[in-house]
Amino acid sequence: MTASPAAVELVEVRLPLVRAFRTSFGTQLDKEAVLVRAIGEDGLEGWGECASAGTPAYSEEWNDGAWLLLRDHLIPAALRGKAASVKGHHMARTALEVALLDLHLRREGVSLREHLGGVRDRIECGVSVGIEERTDELLEMVARHVDEGYRRIKLKIEPGADLEPTRAVREAFPDTPLSVDANAAYRPEDADHLAELDALDLDYLEQPLARDRLLAHADLQRSMRTPVCLDETLTSPAVTEEAVRLGACRVVNLKVGRVGGVAAARRIHDLVVEHGVGMWCGGMLETGVGRAVNVALASMPGFTMPGDTSPSSRYFERDITEPFVMDADGTMAVPDGPGIGVTPIPEVLAETALRRETVRPAAPRRGA
Ligand code: OSB
Ligand code: MG
């Protein structure tokens, strides 16, 4: 697709989150991200972001692991014009794939949205709200988000913090599109408890059970009216097709990093459309670099529901790129510049960087 880059730089950044983000798998105070900068012979650059966090709590990937895999395997292969033979590590692979794609598209003067066949120049924003200790504070936050114009509110839930807060939000906001995300915190035996959510008119219940429980999700879906949405489970086009055909989900959360890249995401998009299943674009609290990819993806026709594609201000005081801004109608513009359409601001990068390392082609061996 593209000539190999002259060098690739890794940059790890840390940005404080405007509010601690608690899920059933832990609490995040900062966003730490590994960014990949592909540098062309011509001086053009392409950027990608690894969706992993500092710890492997959401999936097996984490930033230190991604850094080593990129530095020692993925990037050296790319510098030789090859793809490394690597299993898994979808988020790390996506970061490099996107950086190379961004470089290529910038050379061609083509936006990622055009490349993907996006049909919208604005996308609908939802917001994912973390677990709060106090329901009155949760209600205050939701009220603020509804006022800001978000088209859908998603509440993080876990056993012990599920029916009561969700019911309170539904009672205070009877007409707001609402969903919940359990991040795999429940067991199949909790089916009767989860079915009580059916009274709350939710758009979906996201990832109630463990990642590898395809059949158990299908059983659960048959036992409740609320659509089940899968996130963690859907790591490839193949497993997505199996989940949809089994009835394990009626809604798909698509995250480009989780599925291993833009090419895999396109295949999933097409098969989800073919099966007539609802879909929205997930998020991993990305900086502007990763956000640009999500927003371009969400402009494709198969994204039928508002995603976890929130404006930069939902996460950061100052994003590393020009901020993504949401209008009062709850929509956000899709970048239309070449490639992903945004670039890190050098000063912000310098201030937020924890470490940087440039990988160059190995000197040819003597006699080679
Ligand atoms: O399950 O969707 C998730 C953030 C980190 C890890 C997993 C998830 C999330 C979110 C936040 O819900 C979505 C966002 O605003 O980026
Ligand atoms: Mg989720």
Side-chain angles (χ1 to χ4, degrees):
M1 170 197 68
T2 157
S4 28
V8 178
E9 187 187 15
L10 292 172
V11 188
E12 188 178 22
V13 294
R14 178 194 290 147
L15 287 77
L17 291 171
V18 292
R19 190 179 179 90
F21 186 66
R22 178 170 152 206
T23 67
S24 62
F25 62 78
T27 301
Q28 249 179 285
L29 302 173
D30 302 295
K31 173 63 190 176
E32 292 177 347
V34 174
L35 304 174
V36 178
R37 174 161 76 128
I39 304 159
E41 301 284 0
D42 48 11
L44 281 176
E45 295 179 356
W47 287 87
E49 174 172 345
C50 183
S52 59
T55 61
Y58 165 85
S59 74
E60 293 90 341
E61 293 187 83
W62 84 110
N63 292 342
D64 287 346
W67 184 279
L68 291 181
L69 186 76
L70 282 156
R71 188 190 71 185
D72 298 344
H73 297 276
L74 300 176
I75 294 171
L79 291 170
R80 297 193 304 271
K82 299 235 164 59
S85 179
V86 167
K87 296 285 190 290
H89 297 282
H90 284 180
M91 295 175 183
R93 286 158 64 184
T94 299
L96 180 59
E97 183 215 32
V98 168
L100 296 174
L101 177 62
D102 185 34
L103 176 59
H104 170 73
L105 293 176
R106 282 176 199 263
R107 280 199 185 119
E108 307 283 311
V110 173
S111 71
L112 181 56
R113 179 195 143 188
E114 288 172 87
H115 173 75
L116 291 170
V119 292
R120 289 180 270 262
D121 56 14
R122 304 191 67 83
I123 55 125
E124 292 187 289
C125 302
V127 61
S128 174
V129 179
I131 297 168
E132 292 289 330
E133 211 55 60
R134 299 173 47 150
T135 300
D136 56 342
E137 285 182 19
L138 175 67
L139 286 170
E140 232 171 78
M141 284 180 64
V142 171
R144 190 158 41 80
H145 290 321
V146 169
D147 278 350
E148 289 168 317
Y150 285 102
R151 301 272 179 111
R152 182 226 64 200
I153 306 287
K154 176 173 113 178
L155 306 178
K156 292 290 189 179
I157 60 166
E158 66 182 0
D162 46 20
L163 296 173
E164 186 265 333
T166 309
R167 208 175 273 136
V169 171
R170 174 45 86 215
E171 278 167 13
F173 303 94
D175 303 319
T176 299
L178 187 64
S179 59
V180 293
D181 185 1
N183 287 113
Y186 294 87
R187 297 156 305 155
E189 306 86 87
D190 298 321
D192 288 346
H193 176 73
L194 291 170
E196 293 193 51
L197 292 169
D198 280 345
L200 302 180
D201 189 26
L202 303 178
D203 284 0
Y204 47 86
L205 159 61
E206 184 174 344
Q207 197 69 44
L209 309 176
R211 294 183 294 174
D212 53 0
R213 301 305 304 268
L214 267 185
L215 278 175
H217 275 109
D219 289 343
L220 178 68
Q221 178 66 96
R222 274 193 291 276
S223 76
M224 62 192 298
R225 207 176 56 231
T226 306
V228 170
C229 170
L230 289 177
D231 174 359
E232 284 90 328
T233 296
L234 305 180
T235 52
S236 68
V239 72
T240 305
E241 179 166 16
E242 299 199 355
V244 168
R245 286 176 52 186
L246 273 169
C249 64
R250 293 189 191 142
V251 176
V252 165
N253 166 340
L254 183 50
K255 291 178 179 169
V256 64
R258 194 191 63 224
V259 304
V262 170
R266 292 179 83 156
R267 294 212 298 283
I268 292 176
H269 170 272
D270 293 352
L271 80 87
V272 165
V273 169
E274 200 179 298
H275 285 87
V277 164
M279 181 164 57
W280 54 278
C281 182
M284 295 291 286
L285 313 173
E286 287 90 346
T287 77
V289 172
R291 190 159 310 280
V293 178
N294 296 347
V295 169
L297 203 63
S299 76
M300 295 174 75
F303 289 84
T304 52
M305 311 168 96
D308 283 350
T309 39
S310 310
S312 298
S313 61
R314 145 79 184 89
Y315 311 93
F316 314 116
E317 205 77 62
R318 192 171 55 159
D319 206 332
I320 62 164
T321 62
E322 285 306 306
F324 282 80
V325 177
M326 180 175 77
D327 272 10
D329 70 351
T331 68
M332 197 154 72
V334 181
D336 57 8
I340 64 171
V342 297
T343 331
I345 300 162
E347 301 77 58
V348 185
L349 207 56
E351 280 168 37
T352 56
L354 298 172
R355 53 176 164 166
R356 308 179 74 138
E357 188 169 347
T358 300
V359 188
R360 298 177 195 285
R365 276 168 298 141
R366 240 184 311 166

